[in-house]
Amino acid sequence: MTLYGCHKASALLGICAILFRQTNIIWVAFCAGSLVAAKMDETWRVEHTKKKDELKSQVPLNFSGVKKVLTFTLEFVTNPAHIKSVLLLVWPYVLVAIGFLLFIFLNDGIVVGDRTSHEACLNFPQLFYFFSFTLFFALPLTVCYYRVVRFLQGLKRQPFFFLVVTALILLLVWKFTFIHKYLLADNRHYPFYVWKKVFQRHELVRYLLVPAYVFAGWSFLDSVKYRSLFWILALLVCIMAATIPQKLLEFRYFIIPYLMYRLHMPLPSLPRLIIEFLLYTVVNVATIYIFISKTFQWPDSNVKQRFMW
């Protein structure tokens, strides 16, 4: 509805989505953010046309480019005229946000279930797990010989930038890795086995995976670089809001962010779409087969347990 310009209907559907899951407020914010991004992109284009500078829609992977974007963003959000034009555009979503804040106040928090099992934290590696998840499921569409070559060329051109990014990821993995009790105890879920078979093999594994996180993050940005610069930033902010506060590693938390990413990618060629379809089919058939056929029992319970996402 947002893409069709039906913002009142979009906000109403956003309320329905929030009633199913509270964190869907993030994707209501993304709908509003995409409108703000379009307005910022228009302002950016006008300013650079005046300066006879060529507009680049991709995220500039260098420090001067990041500084340039941050400066422009600060100027935009402190300009009363820009704020007014944005509010006139996104007011239906603002009403939803106000209603959500009222819910949080009356509920004394966002959680409506077991509060002790849903504690928010700054689990920054969740973002890197999401990029890895995305790299795997978008593999038929995004990874090819030429993209790998471009990545290696980027490393060669800007080694200091990638070195700083790698060091930052290492720091975040070191200081902000949180492990939920369910991840270690609930052997019905696939992440339990991923954590046990990969991350718990050795304490250095989480650090050895950092180069893969760098490539996965770069591949993510490279596959949507045709989009508006500020649209990409809006998507990244919403993905971080949806993943980082989650203490529990659950693949299902990644599904909606992944769909938002996948649906906004350029239309791939037919052979790549067929390979993607086959990948999803194999995953779905295997998941359903294991769920139905591979039951087991816990020692202290007679109830059949099943493997699931």
Side-chain angles (χ1 to χ4, degrees):
M1 290 294 100
T2 300
L3 294 175
Y4 279 102
C6 304
H7 302 303
K8 294 177 185 177
S10 178
L12 181 61
L13 290 170
I15 294 173
C16 297
I18 293 167
L19 293 176
F20 281 91
R21 186 169 180 82
Q22 304 94 292
T23 52
N24 281 335
I25 186 65
I26 295 168
W27 303 109
V28 176
F30 175 66
C31 292
S34 64
L35 300 178
V36 177
K39 184 68 69 173
M40 293 178 70
D41 187 52
E42 180 184 341
T43 306
W44 172 280
R45 185 182 296 108
V46 169
E47 289 190 5
H48 285 72
T49 301
K50 292 177 181 178
K51 297 176 182 177
K52 297 182 179 180
D53 191 8
E54 186 178 344
L55 175 68
K56 295 183 179 180
S57 60
Q58 64 190 43
V59 176
L61 290 178
N62 55 61
F63 294 111
S64 61
V66 172
K67 181 181 177 181
K68 188 177 181 181
V69 171
L70 289 175
T71 302
F72 171 81
T73 302
L74 182 62
E75 292 175 353
F76 185 91
V77 299
T78 55
N79 187 310
H82 290 154
I83 294 174
K84 181 180 178 181
S85 64
V86 165
L87 287 177
L88 289 174
L89 194 61
V90 303
W91 67 265
Y93 306 101
V94 173
L95 293 180
V96 178
I98 292 172
F100 188 77
L101 291 174
L102 180 62
F103 153 74
I104 292 177
F105 175 76
L106 296 175
N107 188 56
D108 195 25
I110 192 174
V111 179
V112 294
D114 182 5
R115 294 175 186 262
T116 60
S117 299
H118 295 85
E119 298 175 346
C121 63
L122 291 176
N123 193 0
F124 285 101
Q126 286 275 33
L127 180 62
F128 313 139
Y129 307 150
F130 169 73
F131 284 147
S132 303
F133 176 94
T134 299
L135 181 66
F136 173 77
F137 281 99
L139 199 65
L141 309 175
T142 59
V143 176
C144 62
Y145 171 77
Y146 299 105
R147 177 159 285 168
V148 174
V149 169
R150 286 206 308 276
F151 175 71
L152 295 176
Q153 290 174 342
L155 288 177
K156 187 176 180 181
R157 285 196 305 268
Q158 298 172 324
F160 181 69
F161 178 81
F162 280 95
L163 185 63
V164 170
V165 170
T166 302
L168 178 61
I169 295 175
L170 283 168
L171 177 64
L172 294 175
V173 169
W174 176 38
K175 288 294 186 181
F176 294 95
T177 295
F178 292 92
I179 305 173
H180 197 285
K181 59 184 179 181
Y182 289 172
L183 183 60
L184 301 177
D186 195 341
N187 62 349
R188 297 171 300 173
H189 296 272
Y190 295 134
F192 170 89
Y193 298 95
V194 173
W195 197 266
K196 181 179 179 180
K197 300 294 185 181
V198 178
F199 290 91
Q200 285 189 316
R201 280 195 173 275
H202 195 280
E203 61 182 10
L204 291 179
V205 169
R206 66 182 65 176
Y207 304 108
L208 294 176
L209 289 172
V210 167
Y213 297 155
V214 174
F215 175 73
W218 177 90
S219 179
F220 179 93
L221 292 175
D222 190 66
S223 60
V224 293
K225 65 181 182 181
Y226 78 102
R227 301 290 311 204
S228 155
L229 168 64
F230 298 102
W231 183 94
I232 294 173
L233 293 176
L235 178 63
L236 286 175
V237 167
C238 290
I239 287 174
M240 288 190 287
T243 57
I244 291 174
Q246 303 281 1
K247 189 175 183 180
L248 178 61
L249 172 58
E250 280 277 22
F251 295 147
R252 59 193 174 92
Y253 294 158
F254 299 155
I255 292 175
I256 293 181
Y258 176 78
L259 287 175
M260 289 294 181
Y261 159 76
R262 174 64 186 88
L263 291 171
H264 287 91
M265 287 175 60
L267 184 65
S269 63
L270 182 59
R272 286 184 175 271
L273 285 173
I274 292 173
I275 296 173
E276 180 191 36
F277 172 77
L278 293 175
L279 172 63
Y280 293 170
T281 301
V282 168
V283 170
N284 285 332
V285 169
T287 301
I288 295 170
Y289 171 76
I290 292 172
F291 179 82
I292 294 173
S293 303
K294 303 297 181 180
T295 59
F296 64 99
Q297 288 183 321
W298 287 334
D300 58 348
S301 174
N302 293 324
V303 179
K304 284 186 178 181
Q305 307 299 330
R306 300 178 186 273
F307 296 101
M308 53 190 170
W309 284 105

